[in-house]
Amino acid sequence: MADDSIGAYAPTPADRFTFGLWTVGNRGRDPFGFETRPALDPVDAVYALADLGAFGVNFHDDDLVPFGSTAGEREAIMKRFRRALDDTGLRVPMATTNLFSQPVFKEGAFTANDPAVRRYAVAKTLDSIDMGVELGASVYVMWGGREGCECDAAKDVRLALDRYKEAVDLCCAYVRDRGYDVRFALEPKPNEPRGDILLPTVGHALAFVHALEWPEMVGLNPEFAHETMSGLSFHHGVAQTLWAEKLFHIDLNAQRIGKYDQDFRFGSEGIRDAFYTVKLLEDAGWDGSRHFDAHAYRTESIDGVWDFARGCMRTYLMLRDKVARFHADPEIQAALEVAQVARIADPTSPGGLGADAITALRAGPHDVAALAEVGYGLERLDQLVTELLLGTR
Amino acid sequence: MADDSIGAYAPTPADRFTFGLWTVGNRGRDPFGFETRPALDPVDAVYALADLGAFGVNFHDDDLVPFGSTAGEREAIMKRFRRALDDTGLRVPMATTNLFSQPVFKEGAFTANDPAVRRYAVAKTLDSIDMGVELGASVYVMWGGREGCECDAAKDVRLALDRYKEAVDLCCAYVRDRGYDVRFALEPKPNEPRGDILLPTVGHALAFVHALEWPEMVGLNPEFAHETMSGLSFHHGVAQTLWAEKLFHIDLNAQRIGKYDQDFRFGSEGIRDAFYTVKLLEDAGWDGSRHFDAHAYRTESIDGVWDFARGCMRTYLMLRDKVARFHADPEIQAALEVAQVARIADPTSPGGLGADAITALRAGPHDVAALAEVGYGLERLDQLVTELLLGTR
Amino acid sequence: MADDSIGAYAPTPADRFTFGLWTVGNRGRDPFGFETRPALDPVDAVYALADLGAFGVNFHDDDLVPFGSTAGEREAIMKRFRRALDDTGLRVPMATTNLFSQPVFKEGAFTANDPAVRRYAVAKTLDSIDMGVELGASVYVMWGGREGCECDAAKDVRLALDRYKEAVDLCCAYVRDRGYDVRFALEPKPNEPRGDILLPTVGHALAFVHALEWPEMVGLNPEFAHETMSGLSFHHGVAQTLWAEKLFHIDLNAQRIGKYDQDFRFGSEGIRDAFYTVKLLEDAGWDGSRHFDAHAYRTESIDGVWDFARGCMRTYLMLRDKVARFHADPEIQAALEVAQVARIADPTSPGGLGADAITALRAGPHDVAALAEVGYGLERLDQLVTELLLGTR
Amino acid sequence: MADDSIGAYAPTPADRFTFGLWTVGNRGRDPFGFETRPALDPVDAVYALADLGAFGVNFHDDDLVPFGSTAGEREAIMKRFRRALDDTGLRVPMATTNLFSQPVFKEGAFTANDPAVRRYAVAKTLDSIDMGVELGASVYVMWGGREGCECDAAKDVRLALDRYKEAVDLCCAYVRDRGYDVRFALEPKPNEPRGDILLPTVGHALAFVHALEWPEMVGLNPEFAHETMSGLSFHHGVAQTLWAEKLFHIDLNAQRIGKYDQDFRFGSEGIRDAFYTVKLLEDAGWDGSRHFDAHAYRTESIDGVWDFARGCMRTYLMLRDKVARFHADPEIQAALEVAQVARIADPTSPGGLGADAITALRAGPHDVAALAEVGYGLERLDQLVTELLLGTR
C-alpha cells in the first residue's frame, strides 16, 4: 500500500491479527484448476507475517507436519518452526486438526458411520492437540467439514449428533486429564464440501454445546463466509454468540451470499457487514484474535499473497477507526436517540416476572394509535452510517 | 381428487392434520396484488376442514376476533366458533398471536426499542393465550416476524435478546401463575418481513431456549419454508430439534431456496426433503399435529383452496406410505448395510470417557489405507430412494 | 442530512435523478403488515421531489389515476398533475402500466392463458401509453410481474413467449401508428410475485428483444434488486446491456442476494456493486435518468420518506465523486497497469478472421510457462478500491 | 439396480445418453479433499459405458490427451481410443476444450487481459476442435469457466465481450475454412470458479450469440446445475433456448439452489424440475444427446461410479415414462382444460398488428370483473402432477 498511509493504519501485534498457515500458504488450487503458486515454507510464513505486524499464526496439523511424517520428521519440523516463532515473537494462539483432506474421512470423521474411522479421527485430533499445546495454543478449533451427507438415507442425524457429542466429550476429557489450558471452538458451516453439513450455523452449534459433558469448555469460532453463504447476518450471529458467552475465536473474511466458499480478503465484499462486525467486537471489548481465514486470489503470485494479508489488517483498522467516529459523531448520536436505540435496555416489565407486575403491565394503558404514528428516522440513521463508511463524515 | 383414490389416501382425524384459519382463509393478497378471493368465515372453515378429514384448526387472535373488537363482539365470536368446533369435533391444538400486522409493531414487538410497544405486545399475547386456552390449545406458537432490523445501527442485538428472553419469561410466568397446561413453541425465520430476523434458524432458537427462566416450557415450531429459505436442510433441523427434545410443533409447506416466503402446498417443491421429513417424524413416533402453514395460489377460487388442503394431506399420506416401503424394501435395507448406516449407533469409545479408554482408542491400530479404500454404495442407495419416490419400487 | 454537507453533494436536475410515484408514495404495506403511512397526494410528491433537486417523476397508470376512474376523473387528475409539473419544472421521463395489482391479472397479463385477459392487458397498456405520452414520457417500461407460474404444467413457456412477443409487437405497432416518440424498456425479474417469472434476467430479456418485430424500438430497464436477487452481478448485466446498445432506462436501489424483493435505498446494501454501477454509467456517458425504484422502510413516517429520497441521490453523487478519484489516483492507475486491464482492448487476432491470420495466431510461439508465472496484483488493486470506497484515499 | 427392473428402464443407444470422460473419470477431489478413486483409463470408460447402454462419450482435450503430451503420444492415445470406439460402437457426439485447469488461464482465457494468453487459448481450442472432429464430434461446447473476475476493477466487461466475440468468431472462421460439420454450443454458468463469470445464464448467452459474425453456427449448451445455482428455472431456460432455436446440446445433472457446483446424479435433487425438463425435451422432439455432466459422490469406489451412471439413465427413462402418462391421464387433461392451458396458443390479436385490429382489440368489451372471478384449478393440477411423480397415478 501507499507509503504515506502505512503510518495511519499499520498493524502491530497489539491488534491481535492472526493468519492460518493454510491461508497465506494457499496455492490457488480450486475445483477446476491446478495450483498457481509454489508451496510456501511455514517458516517463511512466520517471518513474513511477523514483518507485516501480525500477532500470530495458526495451523492444522497437516499444514505444518505433512500427513504421514515420521516422529523424527515431526520433531525436526516442530523444532525449526518453534525457532522461527521464538525469533520473531509470533504467537500460535490457535490450532486445529485436518479431518477433511484424507480419503479416510470421505464419509465423515467424528460422525462417520464406521467406528474405526471415528476412532482414527479422535486419535488424530488428540495428536494434533498435543502439537498445538506444545506451541502454546489455548484455543482449539473444530471444523467438521466432512460431518454431513449428500444422500440423506445414509446418515441418521440424531445418532450422528450423539457421536459428535461423544467425540467432543472425548477431546475435553483428554484435555482435562492432561491439565491443558485449552478451550474448544466449534466452527459451523452450512455446506461444501458436503451437501449439508451438521451444525450448519452459529445457532445450531450453540445449541449443541448445551448437550456436552463439559459445556463450559466449548464455545464457537464463527466465520464470516460460512454464515454469509446461508444469507444470515454474520454480526447478528456473533452477537448471539457473545450473548451466550461463547465467542472463543472468530474467522474474518468475505463472501457473497449463496455462492461457493470464497474466503475473500476481509472487507472485499460486504463492507457494511464487516463494519458492524468490527463494531460489535470493539464495543464488546473482544480481547481474542482477529483471525483472517481467507486467501489470495488465484491470479496472484507471492507478492499478491502479502498484499492480501496487508489488506485484511488495514481494512480492519480503517473500520475500527470508523467505529470510534460512529460513537463520536453528534448527528449519528442524535439519530440513535430518534430511533430510541438505547431504550431497549429498559426492561419491559420493570416489576419483574411476578403476577402483580404482569397484571400491571397488562392493564396498560396502551396507546396503540399513538405508538403506531411514531417515525423512527431509520432512513436517516442508515444513511449517516453509509456516509461514515464512504468517508464523507 | 379422483373419487377412486380417496380410499387409498383419505385423511382422518387420527392422522392429526391441522390447518390455520389464516391458511385456508388466505385471500391471495401479495406485495404486488390485491385480494383475489372473498373473506372466509372461520366457522365455514371449521365445517369444511372437518369434512376433509382434518384433526384441528389453529389461529392467531386476529384471525378469529378482528383487531379492535369489543369484549362483547369477542364473546359472540368465540361462542359461535366453539359451537362449530363442538359440532364437528374439530380441535384447536395450537394458538398464536399476531404481533406483526398492526403498524404499532413496525419497529418490533417483544424486542421493539420502545418499552411501551413491548408492553403492549406482551399484553396482547397474554389476552391471546387466554383465548387459545379457552378453546383447548396446549401449544402456543411464537413467531417473531417483526423482531429484527434493516438498519443494523438501530438495534442492539444483545440487548434485544435480553428483551426477547424477558418477554418469553413473562409469558411463561403468566401460564404458570394461571396453571394453564400450555407449552410454547418458537418459530424461527431468517428474513421477510424484516431484512434480518432474530433467531433466524432452528439452531438459533434452540440455543436461545437455554437462556430462559423455564427452558422446559419452551420448545420449537420449525417450518419447512423458513429453514429452506436459507438453503438449510429442514429435516436435519428437525432432527436436531428432536435430539434436543424440543420439537413441540411443526409447520409443513413447500419453498424454493433463496426466494420470498412462498408457503406452497406441502410436497409441491422439494419432494425429497418432504419425504425425509415425514420419515423422521414417523420414525421418531411424533404424536403431535402435522400442521400445514401454507396457502392456495392466488389464481385459485375457493374450490382451489380445498384442493390445496386436500393435496397437503394426501401427499403426507403418500409419503408416509413410502416410509413403510423404505423399511420393508430388501434392496434398500441391503444398501443401508453397505453404507454402514446402523453402525453409527456403535460408540466411538466403547470404554467411555476415561483416560484408559482414550489411551486404548488412540493406540489403534488405525488401518487408514484400508478404511480409505472402502466404497459406501451411496449412489445406489440414493437411487433406490429416488425410485421409491417415483413409485417404481 | 448535515447542513454543511448539502453543498458538497446536493442534487440538481442536471443529475437526472428520478423517482416513481409508487416509491415515495409507498405506504409501508408488506405481506405481513398493513400500511404504516397515509396516502401521499401525487401533486405533493411532485412539489417535494422538485424541492429535493430531482429531475423527474415516473408513474404507473394506476398510481396517478386510480383504477376504475371515469374519463372525467382522469381528466381532472391529469390537469392538476400537469399543473404541478409545469409549476416545478419536474419532468416525466418514463411511464409504465400496472399489470399486476388487479385480480384480473392473477394468471398473467400479456401471457395469460385466457386471450380475453391478454386483450385487456394490451388495451390497458395502450391507454396508459397515451397517458405517458401526454405527460411527455419518452421511455415506456414494461415489467411483467405476473408473467410466469408456480405450477409449471399450467404454462407452455414457448407459447407464452410467442404471446409476450405479440403483446410487445402490438404496443410497438400502436406507437408507430400514432407517431409517438416512445421507446420500450423491458424490466426483467426472476421471481416474486410469481414462483418463476418469464424473462428472469437482463440476459433473457436481451435475447427476447431479437425476436421482436421492431427490435430497435425495445431495450431494457435493468434493476439492481432484480439481478441481485439471483446473485448475478448487476453491473456486469448493465455492461452487457450497454454492449448490446440496449440500455434504455435503469432502476437503482439495494438488495441482498437470495431474499424477498427489498427495494432498499440505493447504496444501503452492496456499496461496492453500487460503485461499479455508477462507474459504468458515468464512464459510458449514460445520459438517461438515474431512476430510484425503492422505498422507505416501514418504520418511517413521511419525514423518513424524504430522508430516503435524499439519501439515494447523495449516495449516487458520493460514488460519482469516487469514480473521478478512481481515474485520478496514480496508485490505482499503476495497479491497473500491473493487472494489464487496458490490454483487453488489443485484438486477439490483429490480422482478423482470415485463414492466414488464424494460422499465424495458432503457430505462436506460446510461452505457456512464462505466462503462467505472471502475477496480476489484483489483491492490491481491489484493496485500493476498498480504500477509495472507505474514503481513506 | 434390481435385476427385475432392468427390463423396464434399461437404456439403449437409441435413447442417446452420453457421458463425459471427466464425469465417470472424476476422482473425487474437491476443494477440501484429495482424490478418493484411482484414475480411470479412457478406454475402460468406453467399454463400460457401452456396456451400460450409453450412446456416446464426450471429452475435453486434456481428458483424453494429457496436457503437454507430444504429437507422438497424442497419436498413440487417439488410435487406441478410436479402436475402443470402433469396437463398441460408442459415439463421440461432442467435444470441448479445457481452458480452465492450467495456471496460464488463471486470469481468463478468451477474455484474458493479456493478448498472449488469449492467443494461446484460441490455439488450444483449434487443436482441440481438430481432435473432436477426428473422432466424429459435430457439437463443440465452449464453457468459459475462467472468463470473469473477482476484482471488478480488473475487467472491462464491455471490452471482454468484444474479445469473447472475437474468439468465438475465430473458431467459427476456422471451422468454415476447414469445412468441418461442427456447430458451437456456449455453456453459461454464473460463478465458480470465478466470483462472477461472463455470460452467467442461458439468457445472457442467447443474447450474446446475436452479436456474432456467424450466429447461425452458435447455440447453447444449458446445464441443469448452472441455471439452478442462480435459482432460475432450468426448464424455462431450456424452453427459451428452444424458442430461439438455439438448443444445440444439453447437460443434465442435479443441484441445490445457492450452493457450490454440485453436479449430482440426474434426478437426485429437483425431481419436479427434472420431470419438466424431460417433458420439454420429449414434447419438443429433441433428437440430440441427453448428456449427463455429473459425477459420483466422493464416498464411492468405482462400483459406485457405474451405479451413478446407471441411475442417471434410469431416472431419465422413468421420467420419460411419466411424460407419456401425463399426456394420457384423463384427469390431468381435464385439469389442463380448466387451467385453459391450450388457449395460450390463440393469438391475442386475431387480426394481427394493423391499426384496425388494434383498435378493435382495444375497444373490447373487457369484462374485467368476470375475468377476475375465474378460478384456474392450479392446486388440483399441480397436485395431480405430484401424484404422477410419486407413482400413485
Side-chain angles (χ1 to χ4, degrees), chain C residues 43-54 306:
Chain C
V43 162
D44 291 346
V46 167
Y47 283 99
L49 287 172
D51 214 47
L52 294 175
W306 306 124

Side-chain angles (χ1 to χ4, degrees), chain D residues 195-229:
Chain D
D196 287 290
I197 298 180
L198 299 176
L199 309 183
T201 77
V202 154
H204 296 76
L206 280 175
F208 173 77
V209 167
H210 287 282
L212 298 174
E213 193 68 24
W214 296 282
E216 69 284 2
M217 294 178 69
V218 184
L220 258 62
N221 177 38
E223 174 167 328
F224 193 109
H226 294 179
E227 301 302 303
T228 302
M229 286 168 74

Side-chain angles (χ1 to χ4, degrees), chain C residues 106 113 118-119 127 130 152 162-163 166 174 204 236 240 243 339 343-344 346 348-349 362 372 374, chain D residues 106 113 118-119 127 130 152 162-163 166 174 236 240 243 339 343-344 346 348-349 362 372 374:
Chain C
K106 64 190 170 186
N113 285 344
R118 284 183 258 129
R119 279 171 206 137
D127 290 349
D130 284 354
D152 284 303
D162 282 344
R163 293 290 81 74
E166 186 188 9
Y174 176 74
H204 296 76
H236 283 205
Q240 187 170 348
W243 188 70
R343 299 187 73 202
I344 200 162
D346 300 340
T348 303
S349 174
R362 193 177 187 181
V374 176
Chain D
K106 63 188 171 187
N113 285 343
R118 284 183 258 129
R119 277 171 208 139
D127 290 349
D130 285 354
D152 284 302
D162 282 344
R163 293 291 80 75
E166 186 188 11
Y174 177 73
H236 284 206
Q240 186 170 348
W243 187 70
R343 298 187 72 202
I344 201 163
D346 300 340
T348 302
S349 174
R362 193 178 187 181
V374 175

Side-chain angles (χ1 to χ4, degrees), chain D residues 50-343:
Chain D
D51 214 48
L52 293 175
F55 169 73
V57 64
N58 305 317
F59 57 83
H60 301 86
D61 47 356
D62 299 350
D63 298 338
L64 185 53
V65 180
F67 186 78
S69 298
T70 64
E73 286 162 349
R74 178 188 178 285
E75 190 71 12
I77 289 167
M78 291 289 279
K79 196 168 162 189
R80 186 167 162 265
F81 190 69
R82 186 200 297 271
R83 200 180 311 128
L85 293 173
D86 291 345
D87 227 40
T88 56
L90 209 69
R91 306 283 298 274
V92 175
M94 178 268 269
T96 183
T97 329
N98 183 326
L99 294 177
F100 43 89
S101 293
Q102 293 299 319
V104 65
F105 301 125
K106 63 188 171 187
E107 203 276 320
F110 286 170
T111 66
N113 285 343
D114 185 339
V117 174
R118 284 183 258 129
R119 277 171 208 139
Y120 174 63
V122 171
K124 188 173 193 287
T125 302
L126 302 185
D127 290 349
S128 177
I129 290 172
D130 285 354
M131 207 165 121
V133 167
E134 202 177 321
L135 293 171
S138 60
V139 176
Y140 201 85
V141 163
M142 288 175 163
W143 174 57
R146 296 282 170 203
E147 320 298 359
C149 58
E150 295 79 32
C151 165
D152 284 302
K155 193 62 65 179
D156 184 314
V157 173
R158 289 176 292 163
L159 290 175
L161 291 171
D162 282 344
R163 293 291 80 75
Y164 216 149
K165 165 179 155 50
E166 186 188 11
V168 179
D169 286 344
L170 284 164
C171 294
C172 287
Y174 177 73
V175 158
R176 294 169 65 90
D177 182 61
R178 293 291 167 113
Y180 289 161
D181 179 26
V182 161
R183 296 194 304 174
F184 293 95
L186 303 173
E187 180 178 325
K189 189 177 184 187
N191 67 84
E192 196 192 346
R194 302 309 302 263
D196 287 290
I197 298 180
L198 299 176
L199 309 183
T201 77
V202 154
H204 296 76
L206 280 175
F208 173 77
V209 167
H210 287 282
L212 298 174
E213 193 68 24
W214 296 282
E216 69 284 2
M217 294 178 69
V218 184
L220 258 62
N221 177 38
E223 174 167 328
F224 193 109
H226 294 179
E227 301 302 303
T228 302
M229 286 168 74
S230 299
L232 301 175
S233 164
F234 179 60
H235 77 273
H236 284 206
V238 176
Q240 186 170 348
T241 308
L242 282 165
W243 187 70
E245 301 184 348
K246 285 296 181 192
L247 189 70
F248 283 14
H249 199 262
I250 191 162
D251 276 6
L252 301 174
N253 49 22
Q255 170 76 30
R256 279 176 90 87
I257 295 173
K259 304 209 171 175
Y260 67 96
D261 186 11
Q262 301 183 307
D263 283 347
F264 287 151
R265 196 179 70 258
F266 182 59
S268 68
E269 294 278 353
I271 293 176
R272 178 174 292 260
D273 295 315
F275 167 72
Y276 282 113
T277 299
V278 172
K279 182 170 182 297
L280 181 67
L281 293 177
E282 299 299 324
D283 288 354
W286 166 248
D287 62 359
S289 300
R290 276 80 176 155
H291 177 70
F292 299 107
D293 187 6
H295 56 77
Y297 303 135
R298 192 167 174 271
T299 52
E300 304 301 282
S301 59
I302 187 69
D303 289 348
V305 170
W306 306 124
D307 287 335
F308 146 80
R310 270 187 213 101
C312 287
M313 295 188 285
R314 279 177 62 83
T315 296
Y316 189 99
L317 293 174
M318 287 175 198
L319 293 175
R320 193 174 70 185
D321 184 58
K322 288 184 191 289
V323 172
R325 285 170 196 259
F326 179 97
H327 291 301
D329 186 311
E331 282 188 85
I332 290 176
Q333 295 306 308
L336 291 171
E337 192 116 354
V338 171
Q340 308 189 38
V341 173
R343 298 187 72 202

Side-chain angles (χ1 to χ4, degrees), chain B residues 214-271:
Chain B
W214 296 282
E216 68 284 1
M217 294 178 67
V218 184
L220 259 62
N221 177 37
E223 175 167 329
F224 193 109
H226 295 179
E227 301 303 302
T228 303
M229 285 167 74
S230 299
L232 302 174
S233 164
F234 180 61
H235 78 273
H236 284 205
V238 176
Q240 187 170 348
T241 308
L242 282 164
W243 187 71
E245 301 184 349
K246 285 297 183 192
L247 189 70
F248 284 14
H249 199 262
I250 191 162
D251 277 5
L252 303 174
N253 48 23
Q255 171 75 32
R256 279 176 89 88
I257 294 172
K259 305 210 172 174
Y260 67 98
D261 185 12
Q262 300 183 309
D263 283 347
F264 286 152
R265 197 179 68 257
F266 181 60
S268 66
E269 295 279 353
I271 292 176

Side-chain angles (χ1 to χ4, degrees), chain A residues 106 113 118-119 127 130 152 162-163 166 174 204 236 240 243 339 343-344 346 348-349 362 372 374, chain B residues 106 113 118-119 127 130 152 162-163 166 174 204 236 243 339 343-344 346 348-349 362 372 374:
Chain A
K106 63 189 172 187
N113 286 342
R118 282 183 261 130
R119 279 172 206 137
D127 289 349
D130 283 355
D152 284 302
D162 282 344
R163 293 292 79 76
E166 187 187 11
Y174 176 74
H204 296 76
H236 284 206
Q240 187 169 349
W243 187 71
R343 299 187 73 201
I344 201 161
D346 301 340
T348 303
S349 174
R362 193 177 187 181
V374 175
Chain B
K106 62 190 170 185
N113 285 344
R118 283 183 258 130
R119 280 171 206 138
D127 290 348
D130 284 353
D152 284 302
D162 282 343
R163 295 289 81 76
E166 186 187 11
Y174 177 74
H204 296 76
H236 284 205
W243 187 71
R343 299 187 72 203
I344 199 162
D346 300 342
T348 302
S349 174
R362 193 176 186 181
V374 175

